[in-house]
Amino acid sequence: MGRVLEFPGTNPVDVAVGRRLKHWRDRRGCDVDALAGALKLTPEAVRRLESGQARMDSTQMAVATRHLHLPVWALVSDTPAY
C-alpha cells in the first residue's frame, strides 16, 4: 500500500498565540464573527488562528489587540510586560 503523507505539525508558538487570542476573545465577550470582521477574515480563518493552524502576522495581531482593547503582549506572552 502507499505511504501516508506527512503533514507538517503545528508550530507551538502559533498554538500559544491562538490559545491566548481565544482566551481574550472569550473574556472580552467578542464573538468570532465580530473579530473576523475586524480582521477582514472569515470566521473559519479566525478559528484556524485560534487553533494554531494558521499564523497571525503583525498587522492581524495589531488589529486583534486593538479590537479586543489589549496590549500586544497579551497575545505573545502570559507575563505582563510593562
Side-chain angles (χ1 to χ4, degrees):
M1 279 300 313
R3 285 181 45 202
V4 175
L5 296 175
E6 293 183 28
F7 292 101
T10 55
N11 183 321
V13 173
D14 296 337
V15 171
V17 169
R19 179 182 47 82
R20 291 181 193 109
L21 178 64
K22 180 162 177 28
H23 165 82
W24 284 110
R25 183 180 59 74
D26 289 343
R27 190 151 181 206
R28 296 288 199 232
C30 178
D31 65 1
V32 173
D33 293 326
L35 184 57
L39 291 169
K40 296 184 179 19
L41 297 172
T42 64
E44 182 57 37
V46 172
R47 288 186 193 96
R48 282 194 305 273
L49 290 172
E50 290 181 343
S51 67
Q53 295 175 353
R55 175 170 289 167
M56 287 185 80
D57 64 30
S58 59
T59 302
Q60 291 170 329
M61 204 169 284
V63 170
T65 55
R66 190 174 26 227
H67 184 76
L68 296 171
H69 306 286
L70 297 169
V72 174
W73 66 258
L75 294 182
V76 297
S77 175
D78 290 327
T79 305
Y82 298 102

